[in-house]
Amino acid sequence: MNALLINDLTLPLPPPAASVDVQARRSAGTHAAFALPLMRPGMRLLDCGCGPGSITLGLAERVRPGGAIGIDLDAGALAQANEKAAERGLNAAFLQAQVYELPFGAAEFDGVFSHALFEHLEHPVQALRELRRVMKPGAFIALRSADWGGTVMEPWDDAVAEALDACREVQSASGGDAHAGRKLSAWLRAAGFHHVTPSASYEIAAPTPLAAGVLARRLDLHGYGEQAATLGEWSARPGALLAQAWFEAVGWKPWM
């Protein structure tokens, strides 16, 4: 649907490409800052769930003359990413691949990064074990995922609370985990990584109408039309603010 009709009010929904637009606003400096100190020139990195590659390209710049490979399931976003890499002359490539079955040999990467992927995975530890396979001994892995348990919305009322609950339900019903962020460290340990270090931060969605519109579309597609309309109405209120809790975790593949 391109619009919602509720209580005689028509509310536009963003096109599917809007989620890619939101992802394209991300950068290595803003969304991978916790991992950048781990990166050195000459490294070969893997970015899982890279979307349009805006973070991956920054990682590739960080490790010049090394490079980065980004993987995702969205062929359209990957095409955009490859074009941008060519325009900027970066050693970066983008492939369509599934994180549970990577098209790489053992011990190929010096580091692995992933932003906003593991909250959508049904089998996160299985994915981490596959990532561990393609990492060199002593390589690092750096993950960042949202945790819906820490979401803050203002203005707040019962209808907004119901819409937020619906977002959590859709995340879980889609095979993900609405509280993935807080579990990243435990998943890394279960997959055999050591010296695991957690951290956390808050991110304010901007622009709020675009972010809320992406959430509203997802709710609508899963049959939560009324809650989707609530988000649309809420995002138009003066001073509407959406802040998301994000957790980070860094771990290392053992040398032996």
Side-chain angles (χ1 to χ4, degrees):
M1 295 177 64
N2 293 321
L4 287 172
L5 179 63
I6 185 168
N7 297 330
D8 296 323
L9 177 64
T10 301
L11 296 171
L13 286 177
S19 60
V20 177
D21 292 340
V22 170
Q23 295 170 18
R25 294 171 180 269
R26 299 167 177 170
S27 71
T30 57
H31 290 74
F34 74 104
L36 293 181
L38 306 173
M39 301 176 189
R40 300 289 183 269
M43 281 184 166
R44 187 174 188 230
L45 305 178
L46 175 63
D47 183 4
C48 301
C50 64
S54 57
I55 297 177
T56 321
L57 296 178
L59 302 183
E61 289 182 339
R62 180 81 174 187
V63 299
R64 283 180 186 264
I69 294 179
I71 64 166
D72 202 282
L73 295 178
D74 187 338
L78 292 170
Q80 293 180 35
N82 276 310
E83 289 177 3
K84 292 176 182 175
E87 291 172 0
R88 294 168 60 174
L90 289 171
N91 183 11
F94 298 88
L95 311 173
Q96 190 171 37
Q98 172 60 259
V99 72
Y100 296 115
E101 191 174 356
L102 297 168
F104 310 112
E108 288 197 23
F109 295 95
D110 300 290
V112 170
F113 175 81
S114 184
H115 179 280
L117 171 64
F118 276 78
E119 60 264 44
H120 300 293
L121 297 183
E122 189 172 0
H123 305 291
V125 175
Q126 179 183 333
L128 288 170
R129 287 177 177 145
E130 174 65 353
L131 289 170
R132 187 171 178 265
R133 179 185 68 82
V134 303
M135 295 168 60
K136 297 177 182 178
F140 73 85
I141 184 167
L143 309 177
R144 190 170 191 251
S145 282
D147 192 307
W148 284 92
T151 303
V152 175
M153 297 176 71
E154 179 64 27
W156 182 260
D157 56 35
D158 290 344
V160 171
E162 185 177 327
L164 183 56
D165 285 340
C167 288
R168 297 188 184 105
E169 291 169 9
V170 166
Q171 184 85 352
S172 299
S174 300
D177 191 328
H179 300 124
R182 69 189 71 179
K183 301 176 183 179
L184 293 176
S185 294
W187 291 341
L188 284 171
R189 294 188 187 96
F193 292 94
H194 67 175
H195 291 91
V196 176
T197 304
S199 57
S201 57
Y202 258 91
E203 181 180 323
I204 296 178
T208 297
L210 179 59
V214 170
L215 292 175
R217 169 171 282 278
R218 192 176 187 206
L219 288 178
D220 187 50
L221 291 174
H222 285 81
Y224 290 89
E226 185 173 351
Q227 290 77 15
T230 293
L231 282 182
E233 294 171 324
W234 168 86
S235 67
R237 299 181 192 177
L241 180 144
L242 171 63
Q244 184 78 54
W246 289 83
F247 283 75
E248 302 92 25
V250 172
W252 302 85
K253 180 176 177 176
W255 284 98
M256 298 293 294

